[in-house]
Amino acid sequence: MESSLAMFLYPLLLSLSLSLFVFLLLRATAGRRRRLPPGNLGLPFLGETLQLISAYKTENPEPFIDDRVSKYGAVFTTHVFGEPTVFSADPDTNRFILQNEGRLFESSYPGSISNLLGRHSLLLMRGSLHKRMHSLTMSFANSAIIRDHLLLDIDRLVRLNMDAWTGRVLLMEEAKKITFQLTVKQLMSFDPCEWTENLMKEYMLVIEGFFTIPLPIFSTTYRRAIQARGKVAEALSLVVRERRRESERGERKNDMLAALLDEEGGGGGFSDEEIVDFMLALLVAGYETTSTIMTLAVKHLTETPLALAQLKEEHDEIRARKVEEEAALEWEDYKSMPFTQCVVNETLRVANIISGVFRRAMTDVTIKDGYTIPKGWKVFASLRAVHMDHHHFKDARTFNPWRWQNSSGTSNNSMNVFTPFGGGPRRCPGAELARVELSVFLHRLVTQFSWMPAEQDKVIFFPTTRTQKRYPIIVRRLEPVEAM
Ligand code: HEM
């Protein structure tokens, strides 16, 4: 045991000493060689990581960026999570970073996330393969597919879950269940069953490992996540194998897996391992984000009763047009929810589920104002900083869905700087799907229930954006809306 500990510790100490040396070297030479954006590299190793984490663990993380922007400007240098990082709160620089994906910058995720996702996940792919897989993903989550195919499933699964709601409900947990089931259905046509429930349990363990130190010896959570990843991959492999057999018999389902297996669907030629990694990452990308936005939309609406009343009126009108009480939502209904779209935009703007994206400079890159980002440095394009900036959004830190109804609440270029789904070649392929899922969820919620918070809960932003207590609410079922 002792010798294995020593085997592990010596290389660790060696690499820490090397990092210290590199850090000091960077500090000494970086400013001289090129014009770095101004800023502070902080302490050796730690840099400003602790300041960032402690700010993002509160309800108001803004001071971390505000203080530095007022001292150094919208693009500044810092040192977080073990690396010197150029931090951008500037929309032009963010756009430049996102658009130059694959040319000047490449995506860069922490070791824990990339190990758990698997190397064939879309988030880690590069070059022409990334381009092909990104458009394949888009083709399975675009408006036409949602209209003709997915909307019905979304509505059905939302209703199915809400039918079981009584009394106290942990909204975040319920939203997760819904979005997990939706993603599994969209990927491989499974309806909720014991198998999907078990898959979800393992999945949660994988996600818990994302923000740990990726060393099994140090972190039980990471060890558990690696084991759970193995189980998820095994379960998905079985499905892939079965589907290959079905495909040989000429059977074809209408889902993402079919598209991956089938040359006509733009796929074909992938190994089982590639398909499993790909699906595993799509499940992560699709379900955690959308369930959080659902929860935060409800929280903001609960705290803004006028907005909730207006939203409810819009949805009651849609229900009243239906002859049957339980009739499914149709595409035309979705298209007649203008205020809901304001609520969706505003929730995306203030919630900032993905607060920004990490990239790595592939070469020395000259940016706005003549600053240089040195090759190999990390870059963080902060979407949150722009969305929370009063120069781009009047009273930026207030939830105000009405700002999207006319241009007076937003500056002229607000739409250009509104990027909750990122931009460039890695722009979220699930953007439209997320909007539809949230709209349907809100429709069913406000037409079927009234609710109130069961206790005080607050939003925090590290390691991910979420409410501390999973937003417990007390629900009361409403009488159905009378048809007009
Ligand atoms: C409110 C919900 C969502 C938000 C805020 C969101 C946000 C984002 C953002 C900002 C990115 C860009 C990451 C980067 O540039 O590195 C992204 C990428 C991605 N999103 Fe979403 N997303 C959401 C929902 C979804 C859904 C429902 C899906 C399912 C199809 C999805 C699938 C993906 C995938 C696969 C990527 C990686 C794209 C790539 O690297 O090429 N997302 N998302």
Side-chain angles (χ1 to χ4, degrees):
M1 176 65 194
E2 243 174 52
S3 68
S4 68
L5 205 69
M7 254 170 58
F8 180 74
L9 277 178
Y10 293 147
L12 186 75
L13 285 174
L14 186 69
S15 83
L16 285 178
S17 323
L18 266 174
S19 313
L20 178 62
F21 175 72
V22 172
F23 177 86
L24 293 173
L25 200 71
L26 267 174
R27 222 185 157 121
T29 60
R32 258 182 269 142
R33 274 189 288 121
R34 339 170 173 82
R35 220 176 127 236
L36 283 173
N40 181 10
L41 290 176
L43 298 167
F45 304 130
L46 289 175
E48 300 192 297
T49 311
L50 296 183
Q51 288 97 313
L52 182 134
I53 292 179
S54 63
Y56 278 72
K57 274 195 163 176
T58 69
E59 272 188 297
N60 178 22
E62 265 56 68
F64 179 84
I65 298 178
D66 289 350
D67 292 353
R68 285 158 183 80
V69 168
S70 67
K71 240 195 231 165
Y72 309 118
V75 180
F76 57 87
T77 299
T78 176
H79 188 285
V80 286
F81 306 115
E83 293 194 57
T85 303
V86 170
F87 202 104
S88 164
D90 172 59
D92 297 334
T93 307
N94 285 358
R95 193 172 313 112
F96 178 75
I97 294 167
L98 293 171
Q99 296 294 346
N100 280 295
E101 168 72 22
R103 286 189 288 265
L104 302 176
F105 301 96
E106 57 188 15
S107 70
S108 171
Y109 286 90
S112 52
I113 297 189
S114 29
N115 293 350
L116 289 166
L117 282 180
R119 63 199 164 100
H120 305 296
S121 88
L122 185 63
L123 288 83
L124 306 175
M125 273 177 202
R126 307 244 157 94
S128 57
L129 182 61
H130 170 260
K131 210 168 157 191
R132 178 178 168 212
M133 297 308 275
H134 189 274
S135 73
L136 189 69
T137 316
M138 288 285 296
S139 71
F140 242 77
N142 63 26
S143 303
I145 291 273
I146 300 172
R147 181 192 62 209
D148 300 341
H149 179 55
L150 296 178
L151 179 61
L152 209 65
D153 283 332
I154 299 172
D155 192 29
R156 187 172 56 85
L157 289 173
V158 168
R159 261 186 302 155
L160 186 78
N161 279 279
M162 285 186 180
D163 279 350
W165 287 13
T166 55
R168 186 186 155 102
V169 165
L170 278 178
L171 195 68
M172 184 67 202
E173 291 305 300
E174 293 298 322
K176 274 188 179 172
K177 226 187 290 170
I178 293 172
T179 53
F180 189 81
Q181 291 171 1
L182 283 171
T183 319
V184 170
K185 179 79 185 166
Q186 177 201 11
L187 281 177
M188 47 195 156
S189 298
F190 276 105
D191 273 318
C193 58
E194 208 183 320
W195 186 84
T196 57
E197 264 189 41
N198 288 335
L199 189 71
M200 182 168 166
K201 280 187 199 136
E202 297 299 334
Y203 228 88
M204 300 267 208
L205 297 178
V206 178
I207 290 181
E208 276 174 26
F210 276 4
F211 301 97
T212 53
I213 303 170
L215 295 172
I217 197 165
F218 278 150
S219 163
T220 321
T221 313
Y222 185 69
R223 220 167 31 238
R224 241 186 358 223
I226 291 281
Q227 278 164 4
R229 196 220 184 261
K231 288 189 196 163
V232 171
E234 203 179 301
L236 295 181
S237 302
L238 287 176
V239 177
V240 174
R241 264 179 260 152
E242 177 55 27
R243 288 289 290 273
R244 281 199 198 279
R245 283 193 287 273
E246 284 177 16
S247 178
E248 278 158 21
R249 296 197 294 268
E251 296 165 27
R252 193 184 191 283
K253 293 203 167 75
N254 194 4
D255 56 23
M256 186 79 208
L257 179 52
L260 285 166
L261 290 172
D262 181 3
E263 309 223 340
E264 279 170 38
F270 299 115
S271 69
D272 286 7
E273 190 198 343
E274 284 171 329
I275 295 183
V276 165
D277 280 6
F278 184 82
M279 294 208 300
L280 206 138
L282 259 188
L283 261 170
V284 175
Y287 113 102
E288 187 80 10
T289 45
T290 316
S291 50
T292 309
I293 203 76
M294 285 172 172
T295 310
L296 294 183
V298 176
K299 185 171 192 304
H300 284 299
L301 286 166
T302 311
E303 289 161 9
T304 320
L306 275 179
L308 178 58
Q310 189 167 338
L311 185 85
K312 181 163 167 46
E313 197 177 312
E314 183 164 282
H315 289 279
D316 281 347
E317 275 171 25
I318 293 173
R319 260 316 91 205
R321 289 202 297 266
K322 303 274 179 194
V323 180
E324 275 179 57
E325 199 184 286
E326 282 293 306
L329 262 187
E330 289 167 61
W331 189 248
E332 293 66 39
D333 300 323
Y334 171 64
K335 285 290 167 192
S336 64
M337 301 177 179
F339 187 65
T340 308
Q341 295 320 307
C342 297
V343 170
V344 170
N345 274 351
E346 187 64 352
T347 309
L348 286 165
R349 187 187 70 79
V350 296
N352 294 296
I353 306 294
I354 306 288
S355 89
V357 298
F358 274 110
R359 296 287 188 265
R360 193 178 291 286
M362 296 163 74
T363 175
D364 282 1
V365 184
T366 305
I367 53 167
K368 215 170 155 180
D369 300 330
Y371 293 126
T372 299
I373 304 175
K375 179 178 177 181
W377 272 43
K378 276 240 169 144
V379 180
F380 186 73
S382 173
L383 311 176
R384 176 179 193 94
V386 176
H387 295 159
M388 290 288 154
D389 187 336
H390 301 297
H391 295 103
H392 306 302
F393 298 92
K394 197 171 152 194
D395 288 330
R397 292 167 193 188
T398 309
F399 177 82
N400 172 12
W402 296 278
R403 75 172 74 241
W404 299 96
Q405 281 183 323
N406 54 53
S407 56
S408 64
T410 52
S411 73
N412 286 340
N413 71 347
S414 287
M415 278 319 274
N416 291 337
V417 302
F418 178 56
T419 54
F421 296 105
R426 287 197 182 271
R427 185 177 186 273
C428 177
E432 181 69 15
L433 183 61
R435 285 178 168 280
V436 175
E437 287 181 8
L438 176 55
S439 307
V440 174
F441 176 81
L442 289 175
H443 173 79
R444 292 294 174 185
L445 180 73
V446 300
T447 53
Q448 293 187 50
F449 296 98
S450 67
W451 69 90
M452 58 181 194
E455 51 187 296
Q456 282 277 10
D457 198 359
K458 60 178 193 175
V459 186
I460 52 163
F461 303 89
F462 185 86
T464 53
T465 302
R466 59 189 139 129
T467 69
Q468 258 178 343
K469 297 181 182 166
R470 296 171 287 167
Y471 205 51
I473 53 171
I474 311 279
V475 295
R476 192 173 63 83
R477 203 168 284 276
L478 300 173
E479 290 299 315
V481 177
E482 297 271 319
M484 281 195 288

